[in-house]
Amino acid sequence: MAIPSSSSNTDDAEMYQLASAELQRLQRQYRIMERDREAYQDEMRISIAKQRRIIDMLSREKQELLLAARVNKSEKQETKNASYKNRIEILLKQQDLIETKIKSEQLQLKELDAQIRKVEDQVNELRSSHMNDDKYLIKVQEQNREVDLLENRLHTATVKFNKMLMGNRKLKHEIDLLVKSKAHFNDLYQQLIQKLADGKKVILDLIEQATVAYDQREESQNKLFALKERDKVNVAMYGHEMRELQRELDHDFKLQEFLGIKGQKRIMQDLELREAEKKKEQRESLSRTIEKFENILQQIKEFCNETDIDRVAALFIKQEEENFALFNYVNELNNECEMLKDQVKELTVNINEQRAINKQKAMEQQDTLDSLTQELRNRQNDTNTMKSTLDNTTTITGEILDKINTLFVFMKQNQTQQTASVLNLLGDSTSIHVNKYNVSLFLAIIEKTINQLLNIVNAPVEDTSARHEDTVHFEFPPRR
């Protein structure tokens, strides 16, 4: 019994320890929650105090704003505001006037600065215009080099221009040939299209004729079939009637033969009576047969609309001949239809072959046209390139001519008598302008003048006075 007691005590101790631990945990949690509650209360008190202060401040601002609004709405304050407004408008107008004056003064200052710079440039230009002999010689040499350079450029540009003109002429000739080839191709193309249209028209006519022939053939076949059916019916009916007539004739012949053999008179009254009755029956039978034949003949007459038996037979024979002729005609039509079908097939084959040939020719012509178009496009591109090069060359040539003209005008004041005579040959010397036709004369004049100037510069001092009368007096015009 001691062992169970110790185990129960152990369980109680463990339960007590667990309960104590749980109690301590709950106490700690309670203390934490109490601290959190106190902290939250403190925080809320602080927040409420802040909000109350903000509410008080906003209330005071509201009171101040209401007071300011009431003050502004008073007559005295409105008068002050109106005076302030008028004063501000006056000040703004004065500001605009002052800004306008400032801008005008700035523009005047800029114009004065520009005039000052212009005067300074003129002064500097006048200072630099004074040249000594060394500078003059250097300038003349530079001008000679520039003239040589311009002549070389002019010669090169002229050669290139001539080459481009020759190439342009060749291209124009090739373009003319291509245009003629295109026109010839268009003519051939139109002819082929016309032939194709004619062939289509012939084909349509043949198809229409074949359709009409086929319709006629169908109609003839229908008529022939109807005639054959009617002929079969008539033949069957006539055969049946002929068999009936033959049977009746055979019966009559046998009856007559029998009566001839038995034609002797008998005395017995009963035999005579029977013979009389038999003859009577034969006569009645013969009369019925005759009546039947007459009815048949009457029906034939009514059917043929003819009363004469010979004419009825002739009509029957004639109708048979017509039927046979129609049969032959239908056979001929069938043969012609077969021939037309064969011709249509042959024409269809020829048309397909011609279409294939035309398609092949059209493809070849299209390829040729595409190649010609591409070549024409390339030629046009080359022509445009040459035109642009020609324009550039023309521009450069114009610049060179303008420079030559400027140089000539610069040297024009000191003309010799020979130069004046050359200019008189060219026309009015005041309206002469350098162009590609008279540039060689102007260059010759400039070259001669420059050579004379070089001779003057390079001549000894003692010979200067002696040769002064034979030289050209050249003076540079003052620069402005």
Side-chain angles (χ1 to χ4, degrees), residues 160-400:
K160 289 182 179 179
F161 178 69
N162 292 329
K163 289 181 179 179
M164 282 189 287
L165 287 177
M166 291 297 294
N168 194 9
R169 183 180 298 172
K170 291 180 180 178
L171 290 174
K172 285 182 179 179
H173 182 66
E174 291 179 359
I175 289 169
D176 292 335
L177 292 176
L178 292 174
V179 169
K180 291 179 181 178
S181 300
K182 184 179 179 182
H184 182 63
F185 170 74
N186 290 329
D187 294 336
L188 293 176
Y189 184 70
Q190 293 297 328
Q191 291 177 4
L192 291 174
I193 289 175
Q194 186 64 34
K195 288 182 180 179
L196 181 61
D198 295 337
K200 289 182 178 179
K201 187 175 180 181
V202 171
I203 291 168
L204 292 174
D205 293 337
L206 291 174
I207 291 171
E208 186 176 359
Q209 291 176 4
T211 305
V212 173
Y214 182 76
D215 294 337
Q216 291 178 356
R217 175 178 173 274
E218 290 292 329
E219 185 178 359
S220 300
Q221 284 181 350
N222 293 328
K223 288 181 179 180
L224 181 61
F225 181 75
L227 291 172
K228 285 181 179 180
E229 292 295 328
R230 191 172 67 180
D231 187 33
K232 287 180 181 179
V233 172
N234 292 329
V235 169
M237 186 175 65
Y238 294 155
H240 180 70
E241 291 178 355
M242 290 298 293
R243 284 193 298 273
E244 289 291 332
L245 292 173
Q246 187 66 36
R247 186 174 60 79
E248 291 178 356
L249 288 173
D250 292 339
H251 178 70
D252 292 338
F253 180 74
K254 289 179 180 180
L255 183 60
Q256 289 177 2
E257 186 179 359
F258 177 75
L259 291 174
I261 295 171
K262 299 292 183 178
Q264 55 187 352
K265 293 182 179 181
R266 294 184 179 181
I267 301 171
M268 295 177 63
Q269 188 176 0
D270 54 347
L271 291 175
E272 290 178 356
L273 290 173
R274 283 185 293 182
E275 187 71 18
E277 289 177 359
K278 190 175 182 180
K279 287 181 180 181
K280 185 178 179 181
E281 289 176 359
Q282 289 178 356
R283 284 194 298 270
E284 289 177 356
S285 176
L286 183 60
S287 62
R288 286 195 301 270
T289 303
I290 292 169
E291 186 179 358
K292 185 178 180 181
F293 286 163
E294 287 177 353
N295 291 328
I296 292 170
L297 289 174
Q298 187 65 31
Q299 290 177 2
I300 292 171
K301 290 177 182 180
E302 290 177 357
F303 180 79
C304 296
N305 293 324
E306 188 64 40
T307 58
D308 191 3
I309 299 300
D310 295 331
R311 289 183 61 82
V312 171
L315 288 173
F316 179 77
I317 295 170
K318 184 178 180 181
Q319 188 66 37
E320 288 294 325
E321 291 176 354
E322 289 179 357
N323 292 335
F324 185 74
L326 287 173
F327 179 75
N328 293 329
Y329 177 71
V330 170
N331 289 329
E332 290 178 359
L333 288 176
N334 289 327
N335 294 327
E336 289 179 359
C337 288
E338 294 296 331
M339 291 175 63
L340 289 173
K341 285 182 180 179
D342 295 334
Q343 290 178 1
V344 169
K345 289 181 180 179
E346 186 177 358
L347 288 173
T348 304
V349 173
N350 293 330
I351 289 166
N352 292 328
E353 292 177 356
Q354 189 64 34
R355 284 180 179 174
I357 293 170
N358 292 334
K359 187 176 181 181
Q360 184 67 26
K361 288 183 179 179
M363 292 175 65
E364 293 176 357
Q365 291 172 356
Q366 186 65 32
D367 294 335
T368 305
L369 183 61
D370 292 336
S371 62
L372 291 174
T373 305
Q374 184 65 31
E375 187 176 359
L376 179 60
R377 192 178 293 110
N378 295 330
R379 297 293 185 180
Q380 288 177 352
N381 293 329
D382 295 337
T383 304
N384 294 327
T385 304
M386 290 182 179
K387 283 183 179 179
S388 61
T389 306
L390 178 61
D391 294 335
N392 294 329
T393 306
T394 305
T395 304
I396 295 170
T397 306
E399 292 176 357
I400 293 170

Side-chain angles (χ1 to χ4, degrees), residues 74-84:
S74 63
E75 294 180 356
K76 185 177 180 180
Q77 189 66 30
E78 288 180 355
T79 305
K80 287 182 180 180
N81 291 333
S83 63
Y84 290 154

